[in-house]
Amino acid sequence: MQKLPQSKAAFAIYNSSLSEGATLGFEFGYSAHAPNVFVLWEAQFGDFANGAQVIIDQFIVSARKKWGQTPNLVMLLPHGYEGQGPEHSSARLERFLQLAADDNIRVANCTTAAQFFHLLRRQALLLSADPRPLIIMTPKSLLRHPRAGSSLSDLAEGKFQRVINDSNALNHVDAIKRLVLCSGKVYVDLMAASTNTPAPEVAIVRVEELYSFPGDELAEVIGSYPQLQDIAWVQEEPQNMGAWSYIAPLLSGLLPENIALRYIGRAAS
């Protein structure tokens, strides 16, 4: 990539030893002191960020309030219940959502290559206008999943969508009675399930950016289905993990009267 004739920016990749506190601290410092450089740090597995929790708590999420700094570091954390064992499953999405306030960070969980591309592109475009750390859940099983792929036109056009409505359901909104909300890989699991048959009364909506909370977009989506009787949040993580505890009170404030938000997922663990 460095030798492309039209290349105008430096591109460097470094492998690091498994001392995440040191490496993430270095990358945080790099992003804070080189504000025009687009810095990304990827954990081999999401749980490996545990070894850098002090850096996350003391610096990344609190940089603006505690230190007067505006880093724009991107953290890529593989996250997904994919049968690779307990230490390779969870990037602790719930921790980042608990630490999110006052527009200190961005937290996203994308479902397609185009969404991932446009999210990174938006982050790069905001390096000067609105610098904030970006935490992305990046399931390894979606690297080659056909349902996560995107066309060249999807990559070349459009923009990052914080909420993605069900395009099929929009063709018959009056028939939709159940709205399923989810984020990230579990959407692909739902759509790829061998037992899945499209139900004409169900719409599946993706929340691609969890923080900042896309309240206006979700309110518009919910309002587009006049016959709703049931709204559920679906996640792959146990009930005390993932986005549920964060998103439940926020979603409840958007629901129509006489409709309660239900949880569908694993029990607390």
Side-chain angles (χ1 to χ4, degrees), residues 18-68:
L18 288 178
S19 175
E20 305 301 4
T23 55
L24 186 57
F26 174 86
E27 302 298 357
F28 164 81
Y30 201 119
S31 69
H33 289 278
N36 293 322
V37 177
F38 188 43
V39 183
L40 301 91
W41 175 82
E42 182 178 30
Q44 183 175 356
F45 289 95
D47 279 19
F48 287 15
N50 289 348
Q53 194 65 46
V54 171
I55 300 297
I56 295 167
D57 292 344
Q58 295 287 71
F59 296 98
I60 292 176
V61 302
S62 56
R64 188 175 303 175
K65 285 291 184 70
K66 292 177 72 172
W67 311 114

Coordinates of all heavy atoms in Angstrom, one line a residue, residues 18-68:
L18 N 2.5 -9.6 24.0 CA 1.2 -9.6 24.7 C 1.3 -8.9 26.1 O 1.2 -9.5 27.1 CB 0.7 -11.0 24.9 CG 0.2 -11.7 23.6 CD1 -0.2 -13.1 23.8 CD2 -1.0 -10.9 23.0
S19 N 1.6 -7.6 26.0 CA 1.6 -6.8 27.2 C 0.7 -5.6 26.9 O 1.1 -4.5 26.5 CB 3.0 -6.2 27.5 OG 3.0 -5.3 28.6
E20 N -0.6 -5.9 27.0 CA -1.6 -5.0 26.4 C -1.6 -3.6 27.2 O -1.9 -2.6 26.6 CB -3.0 -5.6 26.5 CG -3.1 -6.9 25.7 CD -2.7 -6.9 24.3 OE1 -2.3 -5.8 23.8 OE2 -2.8 -7.9 23.6
G21 N -1.3 -3.6 28.5 CA -1.2 -2.4 29.2 C -0.1 -1.5 28.6 O -0.3 -0.3 28.5
A22 N 1.0 -2.0 28.2 CA 2.1 -1.2 27.6 C 1.7 -0.8 26.2 O 1.9 0.4 25.8 CB 3.4 -2.0 27.6
T23 N 1.2 -1.7 25.4 CA 1.0 -1.4 24.0 C -0.2 -0.4 23.8 O -0.1 0.5 23.0 CB 0.7 -2.6 23.1 OG1 -0.3 -3.4 23.7 CG2 2.0 -3.5 23.1
L24 N -1.3 -0.7 24.6 CA -2.4 0.2 24.5 C -2.1 1.6 25.0 O -2.5 2.6 24.5 CB -3.6 -0.3 25.2 CG -4.9 0.4 25.0 CD1 -5.3 0.6 23.6 CD2 -6.1 -0.2 25.8
G25 N -1.3 1.6 26.1 CA -0.8 2.9 26.6 C 0.0 3.7 25.6 O -0.1 4.9 25.5
F26 N 0.9 3.0 24.9 CA 1.7 3.6 23.9 C 0.8 4.2 22.8 O 0.9 5.3 22.3 CB 2.6 2.6 23.3 CG 3.4 3.2 22.1 CD1 4.6 3.9 22.3 CD2 3.0 3.0 20.8 CE1 5.3 4.4 21.2 CE2 3.6 3.5 19.7 CZ 4.8 4.2 19.9
E27 N -0.2 3.4 22.3 CA -1.1 3.9 21.2 C -1.9 5.0 21.7 O -2.2 5.9 20.9 CB -1.9 2.7 20.7 CG -1.2 1.5 20.2 CD -0.3 1.8 19.0 OE1 -0.3 3.0 18.5 OE2 0.4 0.9 18.6
F28 N -2.4 5.0 22.9 CA -3.1 6.1 23.5 C -2.3 7.4 23.4 O -2.7 8.5 22.9 CB -3.6 5.9 24.9 CG -4.0 7.1 25.6 CD1 -5.3 7.7 25.4 CD2 -3.2 7.8 26.4 CE1 -5.7 8.8 26.0 CE2 -3.6 9.0 27.1 CZ -4.8 9.5 26.9
G29 N -1.1 7.3 23.9 CA -0.2 8.4 23.9 C 0.1 8.9 22.5 O 0.2 10.1 22.2
Y30 N 0.3 8.0 21.5 CA 0.5 8.4 20.1 C -0.7 9.2 19.6 O -0.5 10.2 19.0 CB 0.8 7.1 19.3 CG 1.5 7.3 18.0 CD1 2.7 6.7 17.8 CD2 1.0 8.1 17.0 CE1 3.4 6.9 16.6 CE2 1.7 8.4 15.8 CZ 2.9 7.7 15.6 OH 3.5 7.9 14.4
S31 N -1.9 8.6 19.8 CA -3.1 9.3 19.3 C -3.3 10.7 19.9 O -3.8 11.6 19.3 CB -4.3 8.4 19.5 OG -4.7 8.3 20.8
A32 N -2.9 10.8 21.2 CA -3.1 12.1 21.9 C -2.1 13.1 21.5 O -2.5 14.3 21.4 CB -3.0 11.9 23.4
H33 N -0.9 12.7 21.1 CA 0.2 13.7 20.8 C 0.4 13.8 19.3 O 1.1 14.7 18.9 CB 1.5 13.3 21.5 CG 1.4 13.5 22.9 ND1 1.7 14.7 23.5 CD2 1.2 12.6 23.9 CE1 1.6 14.6 24.8 NE2 1.2 13.3 25.1
A34 N -0.3 13.0 18.5 CA -0.3 13.2 17.0 C -1.7 13.2 16.5 O -2.2 12.2 15.9 CB 0.5 12.0 16.4
P35 N -2.4 14.3 16.8 CA -3.8 14.3 16.5 C -4.3 14.1 15.1 O -5.4 13.8 14.8 CB -4.2 15.7 17.0 CG -3.0 16.5 17.0 CD -1.9 15.6 17.3
N36 N -3.4 14.3 14.1 CA -3.7 14.1 12.7 C -3.4 12.7 12.2 O -3.6 12.5 11.0 CB -3.0 15.2 11.9 CG -3.5 16.6 12.2 OD1 -4.7 16.8 12.4 ND2 -2.6 17.5 12.2
V37 N -2.9 11.9 13.1 CA -2.6 10.5 12.7 C -3.8 9.6 13.1 O -4.3 9.7 14.2 CB -1.3 10.0 13.4 CG1 -1.0 8.6 13.0 CG2 -0.2 10.9 12.9
F38 N -4.2 8.7 12.2 CA -5.3 7.8 12.4 C -4.8 6.5 13.0 O -4.2 5.7 12.3 CB -6.1 7.6 11.1 CG -7.3 6.8 11.3 CD1 -8.2 7.1 12.3 CD2 -7.7 5.8 10.4 CE1 -9.4 6.4 12.4 CE2 -8.8 5.1 10.5 CZ -9.7 5.4 11.5
V39 N -4.9 6.3 14.3 CA -4.2 5.2 15.0 C -5.3 4.2 15.4 O -6.3 4.5 16.0 CB -3.5 5.7 16.3 CG1 -2.8 4.5 17.0 CG2 -2.5 6.8 16.0
L40 N -5.0 2.9 15.0 CA -5.9 1.8 15.3 C -5.1 0.7 16.1 O -4.0 0.4 15.8 CB -6.5 1.1 14.1 CG -7.3 2.0 13.1 CD1 -6.4 2.6 12.1 CD2 -8.4 1.1 12.5
W41 N -5.7 0.2 17.2 CA -5.1 -0.8 18.0 C -6.1 -2.0 18.0 O -7.2 -1.8 18.3 CB -4.8 -0.4 19.4 CG -4.3 -1.4 20.3 CD1 -3.0 -1.9 20.4 CD2 -5.0 -2.2 21.3 NE1 -2.9 -2.9 21.3 CE2 -4.1 -3.1 21.9 CE3 -6.4 -2.2 21.6 CZ2 -4.5 -4.0 22.9 CZ3 -6.8 -3.1 22.6 CH2 -5.9 -3.9 23.3
E42 N -5.6 -3.2 17.7 CA -6.4 -4.4 17.7 C -5.9 -5.4 18.7 O -4.7 -5.8 18.6 CB -6.5 -5.0 16.3 CG -7.4 -6.2 16.2 CD -7.5 -6.9 14.9 OE1 -6.6 -6.8 14.1 OE2 -8.6 -7.4 14.6
A43 N -6.8 -5.9 19.5 CA -6.5 -7.0 20.4 C -6.6 -8.3 19.6 O -7.5 -8.4 18.8 CB -7.4 -7.0 21.6
Q44 N -5.8 -9.3 19.9 CA -5.9 -10.5 19.2 C -7.2 -11.2 19.5 O -7.9 -11.7 18.6 CB -4.8 -11.5 19.7 CG -4.8 -12.8 18.9 CD -3.6 -13.7 19.3 OE1 -2.8 -13.3 20.1 NE2 -3.6 -14.9 18.8
F45 N -7.7 -11.1 20.7 CA -9.1 -11.4 21.1 C -9.6 -10.3 22.1 O -8.8 -9.7 22.7 CB -9.1 -12.8 21.8 CG -8.9 -13.9 20.9 CD1 -7.6 -14.5 20.7 CD2 -9.9 -14.4 20.1 CE1 -7.4 -15.6 19.9 CE2 -9.7 -15.5 19.2 CZ -8.5 -16.1 19.1
G46 N -10.9 -10.2 22.1 CA -11.4 -9.1 22.9 C -11.0 -9.1 24.3 O -10.8 -8.0 24.9
D47 N -11.0 -10.3 24.9 CA -10.7 -10.4 26.4 C -9.3 -9.9 26.7 O -9.0 -9.6 27.8 CB -10.9 -11.8 26.8 CG -12.3 -12.2 27.1 OD1 -13.2 -11.5 26.6 OD2 -12.6 -13.2 27.8
F48 N -8.4 -9.8 25.7 CA -7.0 -9.4 26.0 C -7.0 -8.0 26.5 O -6.0 -7.6 27.0 CB -6.2 -9.6 24.7 CG -5.8 -11.1 24.4 CD1 -6.6 -12.1 25.0 CD2 -4.8 -11.4 23.6 CE1 -6.3 -13.4 24.7 CE2 -4.5 -12.7 23.3 CZ -5.3 -13.7 23.9
A49 N -8.0 -7.2 26.2 CA -8.1 -5.8 26.7 C -8.2 -5.8 28.2 O -7.9 -4.7 28.8 CB -9.3 -5.1 26.0
N50 N -8.5 -6.9 28.8 CA -8.6 -6.9 30.3 C -7.3 -6.5 30.9 O -7.2 -5.8 31.9 CB -9.0 -8.3 30.8 CG -10.4 -8.7 30.5 OD1 -11.2 -7.8 30.1 ND2 -10.7 -9.9 30.7
G51 N -6.2 -6.9 30.2 CA -4.8 -6.6 30.8 C -4.5 -5.1 30.6 O -3.5 -4.7 31.1
A52 N -5.3 -4.4 29.9 CA -5.1 -2.9 29.7 C -6.2 -2.1 30.3 O -6.4 -1.0 30.0 CB -5.0 -2.6 28.3
Q53 N -7.0 -2.7 31.3 CA -8.2 -2.0 31.8 C -7.8 -0.7 32.5 O -8.5 0.3 32.5 CB -8.9 -2.9 32.8 CG -10.3 -2.4 33.1 CD -11.3 -2.4 31.9 OE1 -11.3 -3.4 31.2 NE2 -12.0 -1.3 31.7
V54 N -6.6 -0.6 33.1 CA -6.2 0.6 33.8 C -6.0 1.7 32.7 O -6.4 2.9 33.0 CB -4.9 0.4 34.5 CG1 -4.3 1.7 35.0 CG2 -5.1 -0.6 35.7
I55 N -5.4 1.4 31.6 CA -5.3 2.4 30.5 C -6.6 2.9 30.1 O -6.9 4.1 29.8 CB -4.5 1.8 29.3 CG1 -3.1 1.4 29.8 CG2 -4.4 2.8 28.2 CD1 -2.2 2.5 30.3
I56 N -7.6 1.9 29.9 CA -8.9 2.3 29.5 C -9.6 3.2 30.5 O -10.1 4.3 30.1 CB -9.8 1.0 29.2 CG1 -9.2 0.2 28.1 CG2 -11.2 1.4 29.0 CD1 -9.7 -1.2 28.0
D57 N -9.6 2.8 31.8 CA -10.3 3.6 32.8 C -9.6 4.9 33.0 O -10.3 6.0 33.1 CB -10.3 2.8 34.1 CG -11.2 1.6 34.0 OD1 -12.0 1.5 33.1 OD2 -11.0 0.7 34.9
Q58 N -8.3 4.9 33.2 CA -7.6 6.1 33.7 C -7.3 7.1 32.5 O -7.0 8.3 32.8 CB -6.3 5.7 34.4 CG -6.5 4.9 35.6 CD -7.0 5.8 36.8 OE1 -8.1 6.2 36.8 NE2 -6.1 6.0 37.7
F59 N -7.3 6.7 31.3 CA -6.8 7.5 30.2 C -7.8 7.6 29.1 O -8.2 8.7 28.7 CB -5.4 7.1 29.7 CG -4.4 7.2 30.8 CD1 -4.0 6.1 31.5 CD2 -3.8 8.4 31.0 CE1 -3.0 6.2 32.5 CE2 -2.8 8.5 32.0 CZ -2.4 7.4 32.7
I60 N -8.2 6.5 28.5 CA -8.9 6.5 27.2 C -10.3 7.2 27.4 O -10.7 8.1 26.7 CB -9.0 5.1 26.6 CG1 -7.6 4.7 26.1 CG2 -10.0 5.1 25.4 CD1 -7.5 3.3 25.6
V61 N -11.1 6.7 28.4 CA -12.4 7.2 28.5 C -12.5 8.5 29.3 O -13.5 9.2 29.3 CB -13.3 6.1 29.2 CG1 -13.4 4.8 28.4 CG2 -12.9 5.9 30.6
S62 N -11.4 8.8 30.0 CA -11.4 10.0 30.9 C -10.4 11.1 30.4 O -10.2 12.0 31.2 CB -11.1 9.6 32.3 OG -9.9 8.9 32.4
A63 N -9.9 10.9 29.2 CA -8.8 11.8 28.8 C -9.2 13.3 28.8 O -8.5 14.2 29.2 CB -8.4 11.4 27.4
R64 N -10.4 13.6 28.3 CA -10.9 14.9 28.2 C -11.1 15.6 29.6 O -10.6 16.7 29.9 CB -12.2 15.0 27.4 CG -12.6 16.4 27.0 CD -13.8 16.4 26.1 NE -13.5 15.7 24.9 CZ -14.4 15.4 24.0 NH1 -15.7 15.9 24.1 NH2 -14.1 14.7 22.9
K65 N -11.8 14.9 30.5 CA -12.1 15.4 31.8 C -10.9 15.5 32.7 O -10.7 16.4 33.5 CB -13.2 14.6 32.4 CG -14.6 14.8 31.8 CD -15.1 16.2 32.2 CE -16.5 16.4 31.6 NZ -17.5 15.7 32.4
K66 N -10.1 14.4 32.7 CA -9.0 14.3 33.7 C -7.7 15.0 33.2 O -6.9 15.5 34.0 CB -8.7 12.9 34.0 CG -9.8 12.2 34.8 CD -9.5 10.7 35.1 CE -8.5 10.6 36.1 NZ -8.3 9.2 36.5
W67 N -7.4 14.9 31.9 CA -6.1 15.3 31.4 C -6.1 16.4 30.4 O -5.1 16.8 29.9 CB -5.4 14.0 30.8 CG -5.4 12.9 31.7 CD1 -6.1 11.7 31.5 CD2 -4.8 12.7 33.0 NE1 -5.9 10.8 32.6 CE2 -5.1 11.4 33.5 CE3 -4.1 13.6 33.8 CZ2 -4.7 11.0 34.8 CZ3 -3.6 13.1 35.1 CH2 -4.0 11.8 35.5
G68 N -7.3 16.8 30.0 CA -7.4 17.8 29.0 C -6.9 17.4 27.6 O -6.4 18.2 26.8

